[in-house]
């Protein structure tokens, strides 16, 4: 395969590896009593507040509605997601060395599945926290009210406006997939040229016999 294929796959692999340090998603909460807002950043292995006090403040607010506290160490996904990412980065590195289109397709499918399953799990996590409330400890009780944050976009929850949007790490992951697609694009002409050479080589002996 041409060097350009390896270059694009190397770029894709390096971009994906940045998810170890870049945030994936961000949730903002704004209300009159918090004019500066509260924020949470979701990373590959944890959730953290935008300030040292934001996560505690959010958990204190959640206590009023009977929502259990957000404790990053108790969320199992944060323990295995770095390993899944590591396998995808390793597969990307192997693809750079081997440079086979089948491996590129496998890598793209793996990254896409990782992203889709991550969004599904994010929705499931928000649904669980927003609907499974402790009515006995809740101070604010509104029958039929749920407090699930949006996966993406904005939503009014009581007097809070919750906004959930992709952060820079997600955009880097999408850029990684785009680079891998470029690797496929530049590999196809090379594969076609090889196939044509093989076809012509196979015709030469037949022509010689004729």
């Amino acid at each position: 395969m041409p060097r350009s294929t390896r270059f694009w796959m190397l770029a894709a692999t390096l971009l994906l590896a940045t998810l170890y340090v870049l945030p994936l998603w961000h949730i903002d909460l704004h209300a009159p009593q918090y004019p500066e807002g509260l924020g949470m950043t979701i990373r590959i292995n944890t959730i953290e507040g935008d300030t040292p006090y934001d996560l505690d403040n959010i958990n204190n607010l959640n206590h009023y509605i009977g929502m259990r506290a957000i404790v990053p160490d108790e969320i199992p996904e944060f323990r295995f997601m770095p390993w899944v990412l590591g396998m995808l980065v390793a597969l990307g590195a192997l693809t750079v060395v081997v440079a086979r289109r089948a491996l590129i397709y496998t890598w793209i499918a793996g990254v896409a599945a990782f992203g889709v399953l991550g969004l599904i799990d994010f929705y499931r996590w928000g649904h669980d926290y927003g609907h499974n409330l402790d009515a006995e400890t809740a101070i604010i009780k509104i029958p039929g009210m749920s407090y699930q944050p949006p996966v993406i976009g904005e939503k009014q929850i009581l007097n809070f406006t919750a906004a959930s949007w992709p952060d820079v790490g997600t955009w880097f992951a999408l850029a990684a997939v785009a680079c891998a697609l470029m690797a496929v694009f530049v590999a196809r002409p090379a594969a076609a040229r090889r196939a044509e050479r093989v076809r012509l080589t196979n015709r030469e002996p037949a022509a010689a016999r004729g």
Side-chain angles (χ1 to χ4, degrees), residues 36-52:
E36 296 182 358
L38 300 171
M40 292 185 297
T41 297
I42 300 176
R43 297 182 178 274
I44 195 71
N45 62 343
T46 191
I47 297 179
E48 57 189 21
D50 287 357
T51 73

Side-chain angles (χ1 to χ4, degrees), residues 12 14-16 18-19 22 167-177:
L14 293 175
L15 283 168
L16 191 69
T18 62
L19 268 61
L22 296 178
D167 213 323
V168 62
T170 298
W171 300 116
F172 270 51
L174 291 174
V177 173

Side-chain angles (χ1 to χ4, degrees), residues 48-130:
E48 57 189 21
D50 287 357
T51 73
Y53 310 103
D54 277 11
L55 192 57
D56 287 338
N57 287 332
I58 291 170
N59 281 332
N60 289 334
L61 290 169
N62 288 345
H63 176 73
Y64 283 100
I65 58 176
M67 185 185 293
R68 68 181 184 274
I70 299 171
V71 182
D73 291 342
E74 296 179 0
I75 299 175
E77 289 85 345
F78 290 144
R79 291 195 290 272
F80 67 77
M81 283 180 66
W83 291 98
V84 176
L85 177 61
M87 288 188 288
L88 289 171
V89 171
L91 178 60
L94 176 64
T95 305
V96 172
V97 175
V98 178
R100 294 287 186 270
R101 280 192 295 168
L103 280 178
I104 300 175
Y105 289 134
T106 301
W107 188 87
I108 293 172
V111 174
F114 183 59
V116 170
L117 292 175
L119 286 174
I120 293 173
D121 189 66
F122 183 22
Y123 173 85
R124 182 203 60 80
W125 176 82
H127 185 277
D128 181 38
Y129 272 78

Side-chain angles (χ1 to χ4, degrees), residues 166-202:
D167 213 323
V168 62
T170 298
W171 300 116
F172 270 51
L174 291 174
V177 173
C179 287
L181 291 173
M182 280 297 301
V184 173
F185 178 77
V186 299
R188 282 181 175 175
R193 287 193 297 269
R194 283 200 309 274
E196 180 65 14
R197 285 197 299 269
V198 170
R199 187 180 68 82
L200 293 175
T201 301
N202 291 337

